[in-house]
Amino acid sequence: MQKIAYLIALALITAVAAPTHAGESVKVTKLRSAKVIIFDAPEGTQIGEVFREQYTPGAWTVRSEPQRGYVQIAGDGTTFWVKNFAIDTDRRISSSAECGVKLAGSERKMGATRGLGEECK
């Protein structure tokens, strides 16, 4: 019963806090890397690239929440996907798991892995 009350309270708090940015689009303020690769879908095919010097701050807007480490962008009259870590935005957007990533080629197992990669199944 306490768990249900907690979930209801959390839902109410979220519903009250959400309208502060309702209707406002999230703008991409800058590109973090020198070259950002553009994809047709999350983990999809590369369809282009944009260099940091070519980008005009605010020209792109975020269309959806990140999926598998990619975020959907609207800009230049089209819709495309970029890696979430490759951009900075004017507001925080929640991140999601990027599946199949290997850091430094290491496959070491860690002790605290609960929940790690759950979105990738």
Side-chain angles (χ1 to χ4, degrees):
M1 189 67 171
Q2 286 180 332
K3 191 173 188 178
I4 293 172
Y6 172 75
L7 292 174
I8 291 171
L10 184 61
L12 288 174
I13 290 170
T14 305
V16 170
T20 57
H21 296 297
E24 297 177 24
S25 60
V26 178
K27 302 273 186 199
V28 177
T29 57
K30 72 175 187 175
L31 306 183
R32 286 186 176 177
S33 52
K35 176 176 70 172
V36 173
I37 307 296
I38 296 173
F39 299 91
D40 63 348
E43 300 176 14
T45 305
Q46 178 181 338
I47 57 173
E49 56 189 32
V50 175
F51 292 94
R52 185 184 297 151
E53 298 80 32
Q54 296 173 324
Y55 180 70
T56 304
W60 294 352
T61 57
V62 175
R63 298 274 314 226
S64 67
E65 291 294 318
Q67 298 175 18
R68 296 179 299 222
Y70 293 81
V71 64
Q72 188 178 32
I73 301 290
D76 304 326
T78 61
T79 302
F80 50 90
W81 296 81
V82 297
K83 291 201 176 210
N84 191 27
F85 65 79
I87 59 171
D88 276 339
T89 57
D90 60 352
R91 274 198 311 270
R92 187 171 188 260
I93 54 175
S94 63
S95 185
S96 63
E98 184 175 351
C99 304
V101 174
K102 290 186 175 37
L103 299 176
S106 175
E107 296 248 359
R108 291 182 9 203
K109 302 230 187 249
M110 302 255 219
T113 59
R114 182 179 50 187
L116 186 62
E118 289 295 317
E119 296 175 39
C120 298
K121 291 183 178 178

